[in-house]
Amino acid sequence: MKVMKKEEIIIKWLNHEPLTQEETYFLESLVEYQDYKKIVDKATVFKAPVFDQVKSYNRIKEKAHQKSFDWSVLYKIAAVIVVVVGCYFAFFFAQPQQYNTLAQQTKEIRLPDNSVVLMNAESALSYEKKNWDDKRKLQLQGEAFFDVEKGKKFTVLTKMGEIEVLGTEFNVHQRNGFLSVECYEGLVEVRFNNKKIQLEPQEGLTFANGKLIEYNTKEATSAWINGYSIFKSIPVKEVIEELERQYNIEITLKNIKFDNQQLFTGNITHKNLETALKSVTIPFGYTYQVSNNSVVISAKKL
Amino acid sequence: MAKKLFKNVCEEHIFSSIYNKYAKDIHDFLFYKFGESLQPEDKMQEAFVKLWQNCKKVTPDKAKSFLFTTANNLMLNEAKHKKVVLKHHNRVGNQDNIQDPQFVLEEKEYLKKYEKAIAKLSEAQRVAFLMNKTEGKKHKEIADLLGISQKAVEKRIYSALEKLREHIKEI
């Protein structure tokens, strides 16, 4: 018999097809037959495990629902996240940075260009982070000391005027109707009421009630940073309010009415209330009384 | 009146009949081809999930080849030609209570060799051979499932048999 025939018979045998007697005889007389038979007989040991078809089907249904649900929703969620995050960042960068201090509180802020701002009590500062290096502009209410790094124009905007510098140390104080600027290093330009005044180191100005006072100071840095305030011709009302801010107290005036013409010049410490109160009241011949968080200043002569 | 051009796999009774017809075959196919370490049951389920998701695009007569191809691809993604190990499950022997220890030992040795020989077959050979001899499928059925000719199936099975014998003898 031919070789081809052998393969054919074996294949027939493998396929459980009936063999003729001749073929059977041929097959069984092959040398390999016993090996083949054993291989075929033992093949069942590799049988694939049986699995629970019903369970598996239910699982498919579950998965199919999860999946079709998940994908469409997932893309939507992803889109929403992208939009939200995008908006957040757009908003975050466009949104001015805001800082506030409460009474008795000071705060140091480092600006993006490493300039430092020290905020005095009850002050507010804001600036835009975006393009900071091109446009160094910030808004101030209250009082702050600036140590500006060299660079492009640096501008402090207040309700009463702008202070513009190139790189310097200076102090700005602007509250209810008065603006006070002192320069300690470099050159500062103050613009208000269509006026431009340049301050050199150790020069200061106060603008209150339409009056401009320019003065020289010996201070090398802002006094409040060292724990006291220096007032040069400032309305007494302002001085009283500064006391309230520095000590977080409430001051009431009894039988006294300060008008804007009464000005105060002098130093007031931030570290001792009694001393500070004395410095304000004695020159005017008033007395004071402290109880808890409130102080009453009265006109009773000593 | 509008008339459906073909029955849609999206209809659940059609989908479930396809499942009943092919789930086991696909499972076994994956098992014999890739071994059990890669969770053939999970992959089979995945393939049906994919069929369900694409039920509008796949006609019932294309479902079988879609399932086999998908299941196969799912496996390939994971397998990357990991060595296939088919563990034998010794279902023999238990029938005879009294066994010659010598015989038991020889049987064990033989099955070990068989296991290694099975691993050495090509995927195509292994699938065809085991579907035939382990699952008891006719050559024609295997050919239909795999979408190849009966001749090709027979060639694979025959060459598998020869190779197995060679390897078992040699080892």
Side-chain angles (χ1 to χ4, degrees):
Chain A
M1 245 178 245
K2 283 181 233 160
V3 181
M4 266 310 291
K5 193 79 177 163
K6 173 191 160 193
E7 190 178 330
E8 260 173 47
I9 292 171
I10 291 175
I11 286 169
K12 261 179 147 181
W13 170 66
L14 287 169
N15 206 18
H16 302 290
E17 284 170 42
L19 300 177
T20 63
Q21 234 176 9
E22 199 191 349
E23 283 170 333
T24 311
Y25 177 77
F26 171 79
L27 180 73
E28 289 177 359
S29 63
L30 282 172
V31 215
E32 307 98 321
Y33 178 66
Q34 286 309 317
D35 292 335
Y36 286 159
K37 194 169 180 312
K38 189 160 190 188
I39 289 169
V40 169
D41 286 347
K42 292 286 176 190
T44 48
V45 299
F46 297 106
K47 195 158 170 52
V50 181
F51 63 95
D52 187 332
Q53 293 214 26
V54 176
K55 233 178 173 175
S56 215
Y57 185 69
N58 290 335
R59 188 83 195 92
I60 288 164
K61 276 184 7 191
E62 256 171 59
K63 278 190 190 174
H65 281 114
Q66 274 173 16
K67 286 256 168 134
S68 57
F69 178 79
D70 272 355
W71 283 111
S72 63
V73 170
L74 214 66
Y75 284 126
K76 284 177 197 161
I77 291 172
V80 169
I81 289 171
V82 167
V83 170
V84 167
V85 169
C87 285
Y88 173 75
F89 276 106
F91 194 65
F92 181 74
F93 281 114
Q95 189 77 346
Q97 301 285 306
Q98 286 261 16
Y99 300 94
N100 293 295
T101 50
L102 304 171
Q104 244 180 339
Q105 192 187 27
T106 61
K107 199 179 260 183
E108 180 177 325
I109 291 149
R110 200 161 281 271
L111 298 173
D113 62 345
N114 263 340
S115 297
V116 177
V117 183
L118 290 171
M119 292 169 66
N120 203 349
E122 272 183 49
S123 301
L125 184 86
S126 69
Y127 68 91
E128 271 175 34
K129 219 172 188 171
K130 207 177 162 194
N131 303 330
W132 171 258
D133 287 335
D134 290 333
K135 201 181 73 181
R136 302 194 295 179
K137 238 179 209 181
L138 45 78
Q139 298 193 350
L140 173 74
Q141 286 182 321
E143 182 168 17
F145 166 83
F146 296 88
D147 181 357
V148 178
E149 288 292 309
K150 288 199 166 49
K152 292 222 169 90
K153 196 162 84 168
F154 184 102
T155 316
V156 180
L157 304 167
T158 71
K159 274 184 187 160
M160 293 180 62
E162 298 175 16
I163 297 89
E164 192 179 292
V165 294
L166 284 169
T168 179
E169 290 179 18
F170 64 101
N171 190 70
V172 177
H173 193 179
Q174 189 275 311
R175 294 185 202 272
N176 335 309
F178 84 92
L179 170 68
S180 173
V181 182
E182 274 180 16
C183 173
Y184 310 105
E185 212 182 279
L187 189 71
V188 176
E189 185 174 278
V190 186
R191 290 197 294 260
F192 60 97
N193 282 11
N194 301 323
K195 259 188 247 182
K196 274 189 194 174
I197 293 174
Q198 294 196 336
L199 296 179
E200 288 189 356
Q202 271 70 53
E203 284 183 348
L205 68 80
T206 298
F207 180 68
N209 311 319
K211 267 190 205 160
L212 174 70
I213 295 156
E214 286 181 79
Y215 60 86
N216 289 318
T217 170
K218 292 190 194 85
E219 307 295 326
T221 185
S222 201
W224 65 266
I225 288 163
N226 296 324
Y228 59 97
S229 298
I230 299 177
F231 295 99
K232 304 258 184 201
S233 312
I234 299 288
V236 184
K237 236 168 60 180
E238 277 311 314
V239 179
I240 303 274
E241 278 180 24
E242 185 65 26
L243 277 177
E244 288 182 323
R245 280 191 289 271
Q246 292 302 337
Y247 290 100
N248 197 15
I249 49 170
E250 228 176 272
I251 298 178
T252 39
L253 302 177
K254 221 166 130 189
N255 311 326
I256 305 173
K257 227 191 157 204
F258 286 123
D259 58 29
N260 284 335
Q261 303 310 313
Q262 277 171 293
L263 303 178
F264 177 86
T265 297
N267 296 356
I268 285 176
T269 176
H270 296 171
K271 287 168 182 162
N272 188 314
L273 180 60
E274 297 270 335
T275 315
L277 284 168
K278 275 177 191 156
S279 338
V280 184
T281 52
I282 291 172
F284 293 97
Y286 299 143
T287 58
Y288 65 88
Q289 238 180 343
V290 186
S291 56
N292 288 336
N293 281 336
S294 59
V295 173
V296 179
I297 297 179
S298 51
K300 206 168 83 188
K301 301 274 177 188
L302 275 172
Chain B
M1 239 212 281
K3 207 176 164 188
K4 273 185 191 167
L5 286 176
F6 54 84
K7 282 189 174 176
N8 206 325
V9 180
C10 297
E11 287 170 43
E12 194 172 339
H13 69 278
I14 292 173
F15 182 78
S16 71
S17 77
I18 290 171
Y19 174 83
N20 288 332
K21 201 166 170 193
Y22 294 118
K24 186 176 179 321
D25 287 337
I26 289 165
H27 170 267
D28 294 350
F29 163 74
L30 294 177
F31 179 85
Y32 294 134
K33 189 166 179 182
F34 299 101
E36 61 193 326
S37 64
L38 292 164
Q39 291 98 29
E41 192 182 339
D42 284 3
K43 298 294 182 303
M44 177 273 290
Q45 291 176 357
E46 281 292 305
F48 275 97
V49 171
K50 288 246 153 69
L51 174 66
W52 181 254
Q53 287 164 351
N54 293 291
C55 64
K56 280 178 192 143
K57 292 177 229 158
V58 184
T59 55
D61 56 311
K62 287 272 156 48
K64 186 207 79 196
S65 64
F66 177 88
L67 286 166
F68 272 88
T69 311
T70 308
N72 195 41
N73 290 345
L74 284 168
M75 272 292 187
L76 286 176
N77 284 346
E78 213 170 296
K80 292 278 178 252
H81 299 295
K82 234 183 179 180
K83 204 186 169 200
V84 176
V85 179
L86 284 182
K87 288 257 182 288
H88 64 264
H89 301 279
N90 208 342
R91 293 187 189 86
V92 244
N94 286 348
Q95 299 114 337
D96 307 2
N97 284 332
I98 310 147
Q99 278 184 359
D100 176 11
Q102 176 71 23
F103 174 76
V104 173
L105 201 72
E106 275 174 11
E107 267 306 277
K108 253 184 156 172
E109 282 299 302
Y110 181 79
L111 289 178
K112 245 188 205 165
K113 284 180 188 172
Y114 202 158
E115 231 174 69
K116 283 185 186 163
I118 285 276
K120 280 184 180 167
L121 294 180
S122 76
E123 287 171 350
Q125 287 173 334
R126 186 167 51 240
V127 170
F129 179 79
L130 290 176
M131 275 188 160
N132 178 211
K133 293 334 294 179
T134 308
E135 291 302 320
K137 282 198 188 305
K138 295 270 182 198
H139 298 171
K140 181 83 182 72
E141 292 175 86
I142 300 169
D144 288 346
L145 279 177
L146 301 181
I148 54 175
S149 70
Q150 185 174 339
K151 265 262 171 307
V153 174
E154 285 167 351
K155 195 144 192 80
R156 286 176 189 187
I157 296 173
Y158 182 72
S159 59
L161 183 66
E162 281 196 318
K163 227 173 152 187
L164 285 171
R165 177 172 175 269
E166 269 169 41
H167 286 308
I168 293 171
K169 281 264 157 180
E170 270 170 32
I171 297 165

